[in-house]
Amino acid sequence: MNNKFRPAEILIFSYGAVGLLGTLLLMLPGAATGQTSFLQAWFTAVSALTVTGLTVVPTASHWTMFGQTVLLILMQIGGLGLMVFTTIFFMALGLRIQLAHRALIVQDRNTFSMAGILRLVKSIIILTLIIEGVGALLMAFLTPNLWDKGIGEGLFFVIFQSVSAFNGVGLDVTGQSLIIYRSYPALLCVYMVLIFLGSLGYVVLQEILVLRKWRRMSLHSRLVFWVTGMIIFIGTIFYFFSEYQRLLADLDLPGKIVESLFQAVTRTAGFTTVAVNNWTEPFIFLMIMMMFIGASPGSVGGGIKTTTVGTIILAIWAIARGRKEVVLWEREIAPESVTKAFTVAVIAMLLVSFSTLLIMVIEKLPFMPVLFEVVSALATVGLSMGITGELSPFGQILLTILMFIGRIGVLSLVIFLTKQEQRRLRYLKEDILIG
């Protein structure tokens, strides 16, 4: 009998342990300006670690500089990936990275294989620091009234906001998300670029920024760009025309375009320039769909991932044309990838459906706000219609579990809950009626 833990199990226990450590740090006397319950601290720590951004207490006013620093570290760990973070520590000490640890990195970062994994880790670290550093520098020049409270607080502000944006967290120390910067389009563009780069995935970033394979991108990277581009385009156009005479009425044309683009990009991050409750119901539903799709594999974002949706659409198109192979740009997508895509989507939909129904029954809340909250938690987005703090302990615990699942991935959850079966026998095939 094999008693060794599998990578998925180790990841779950590791993230759980770090989340608990963050909870204990947030419960220290100097971490908050007032009383903090265990559930409030745990919810906030897991929200930061899973790069979600949902909150039950105001980040700007409830947590002290120490508490916000704990959240900053948790966001960075969650964005880089816990296994990447521990690899940095091992490499700094000159320790050898064992094969088992490399397998954990592959599972955590959702990469293709262990080949060149340490080189990828170094690229992840360098890219993250450079992108977050440039983002913080640009924010330092563009953020109004930044230095009013001193250089120290100003520097902490831009670092916190830059890390939160690139890692798709959406936690902010403004107290109002980005609503107060709505009339600063250049600053919003900085946030958008950080969120967009963070949502692509480190494999894609390495191809375009390090290896510079702009004309010879892999099938994975091309699919990521196509699906991401279509989602952003549809979201931008829909918001622009649905809110043109409402929320966009007080802005000039460039401002309208920037804000519409921002709402489509922020589907993976949780920052907002307008209170979610002010959106039209059709756009709220569209945002739910965009959040559910989420970011790309190997990125800091959640959701079922852009490549999953792209693969499912291609598979449906292949079936409609009577073909067994799923082909894109003269490349056949592996059948295992197609099966995995449908599996991820179905499991995620079941989780969303069951959780939404459960919270509606227990909390006595209407459908749309609950569905929005559940998808935001599972997709690790952080946007909310304002019901997070109103939920009972049961509702908050359920959202915490969903955030945790969203960070480790639904497939890792399935692997954790099931035992791998080594089957050598093959059985007779028989058709069943479908549809």
Side-chain angles (χ1 to χ4, degrees), residues 65-340:
M65 181 74 79
F66 171 75
Q68 291 171 2
T69 302
V70 172
L71 294 179
L72 176 63
I73 295 170
L74 289 173
M75 288 191 299
Q76 193 67 85
I77 293 174
L80 282 172
L82 182 57
M83 293 305 111
V84 170
F85 210 79
T86 54
T87 303
I88 299 171
F89 180 72
F90 288 157
M91 291 170 68
L93 294 177
L95 299 176
R96 184 183 177 187
I97 310 301
Q98 300 294 330
L99 190 63
H101 187 84
R102 298 185 191 210
L104 285 172
I105 299 171
V106 170
Q107 182 87 25
D108 192 17
R109 287 262 45 106
N110 195 16
T111 55
F112 293 113
S113 68
M114 285 189 284
I117 193 67
L118 294 185
R119 186 168 62 252
L120 177 62
V121 167
K122 293 176 183 178
S123 295
I124 288 173
I125 298 165
I126 294 170
L127 283 172
T128 299
L129 293 179
I130 291 175
I131 294 171
E132 290 176 351
V134 171
L137 183 63
L138 292 174
M139 287 180 188
F141 283 106
L142 297 172
T143 305
N145 308 317
L146 177 64
W147 311 109
D148 288 356
K149 294 183 179 180
I151 295 177
E153 286 199 28
L155 286 174
F156 182 81
F157 179 90
V158 295
I159 292 171
F160 190 98
Q161 295 290 113
S162 181
V163 171
S164 182
F166 178 67
N167 292 292
V169 187
L171 288 177
D172 65 89
V173 285
T174 65
Q176 304 176 61
S177 192
L178 301 183
I179 295 175
I180 57 176
Y181 302 131
R182 188 170 179 245
S183 57
Y184 297 88
L187 180 60
L188 293 181
C189 285
V190 173
Y191 279 92
M192 277 194 288
V193 171
L194 287 171
I195 295 168
F196 175 73
L197 291 176
S199 70
L200 292 178
Y202 287 108
V203 173
V204 178
L205 290 178
Q206 188 183 36
E207 276 196 24
I208 62 173
L209 297 179
V210 180
L211 303 177
R212 300 184 181 181
K213 292 183 177 180
W214 301 317
R215 295 183 179 180
R216 296 181 294 106
M217 285 191 295
S218 64
L219 178 64
H220 168 83
S221 296
R222 283 185 285 173
L223 184 59
V224 164
F225 274 113
W226 268 100
V227 178
T228 302
M230 287 302 300
I231 293 170
I232 292 175
F233 176 77
I234 293 170
T236 301
I237 295 298
F238 195 97
Y239 188 86
F240 183 84
F241 287 106
S242 65
E243 302 289 0
Y244 190 87
Q245 295 181 333
R246 292 182 67 254
L247 299 178
L248 298 175
D250 60 331
L251 299 174
D252 57 14
L253 183 58
K256 286 179 170 68
I257 294 173
V258 169
E259 178 152 318
S260 300
L261 185 61
F262 185 89
Q263 307 309 334
V265 172
T266 198
R267 79 190 192 285
T268 63
F271 283 111
T272 182
T273 57
V274 179
V276 174
N277 289 329
N278 292 334
W279 292 343
T280 60
E281 195 168 68
F283 185 74
I284 288 176
F285 188 70
L286 177 63
M287 179 58 79
I288 290 173
M289 290 191 289
M290 292 193 298
M291 290 192 301
F292 185 75
I293 296 171
S296 301
S299 73
V300 296
I304 63 172
K305 302 297 188 291
T306 54
T307 51
T308 300
V309 171
T311 302
I312 289 173
I313 293 173
L314 290 169
I316 293 172
W317 178 244
I319 292 171
R321 297 173 69 188
R323 295 182 177 179
K324 293 184 178 181
E325 299 83 11
V326 179
V327 179
L328 178 64
W329 293 309
E330 299 180 349
R331 294 289 187 276
E332 182 181 344
I333 299 176
E336 294 81 6
S337 296
V338 177
T339 303
K340 186 184 292 186

Side-chain angles (χ1 to χ4, degrees), residues 294-416:
S296 301
S299 73
V300 296
I304 63 172
K305 302 297 188 291
T306 54
T307 51
T308 300
V309 171
T311 302
I312 289 173
I313 293 173
L314 290 169
I316 293 172
W317 178 244
I319 292 171
R321 297 173 69 188
R323 295 182 177 179
K324 293 184 178 181
E325 299 83 11
V326 179
V327 179
L328 178 64
W329 293 309
E330 299 180 349
R331 294 289 187 276
E332 182 181 344
I333 299 176
E336 294 81 6
S337 296
V338 177
T339 303
K340 186 184 292 186
F342 278 100
T343 302
V344 168
V346 170
I347 294 173
M349 284 190 286
L350 289 174
L351 282 171
V352 168
S353 302
F354 178 75
S355 302
T356 301
L357 180 62
L358 202 56
I359 292 179
M360 286 176 63
V361 171
I362 300 297
E363 306 288 345
K364 305 293 190 294
L365 290 171
F367 172 70
M368 191 65 81
V370 175
L371 177 63
F372 193 96
E373 201 84 6
V374 167
V375 173
S376 182
L378 184 63
T380 67
V381 177
L383 290 172
S384 173
M385 294 185 70
I387 68 170
T388 315
E390 301 175 8
L391 296 176
S392 66
F394 171 82
Q396 292 180 9
I397 291 171
L398 182 56
L399 286 184
T400 306
I401 295 171
L402 288 173
M403 290 189 290
F404 194 78
I405 294 172
R407 178 59 186 87
I408 63 172
V410 291
L411 279 181
S412 294
L413 175 68
V414 172
I415 293 171
F416 175 73

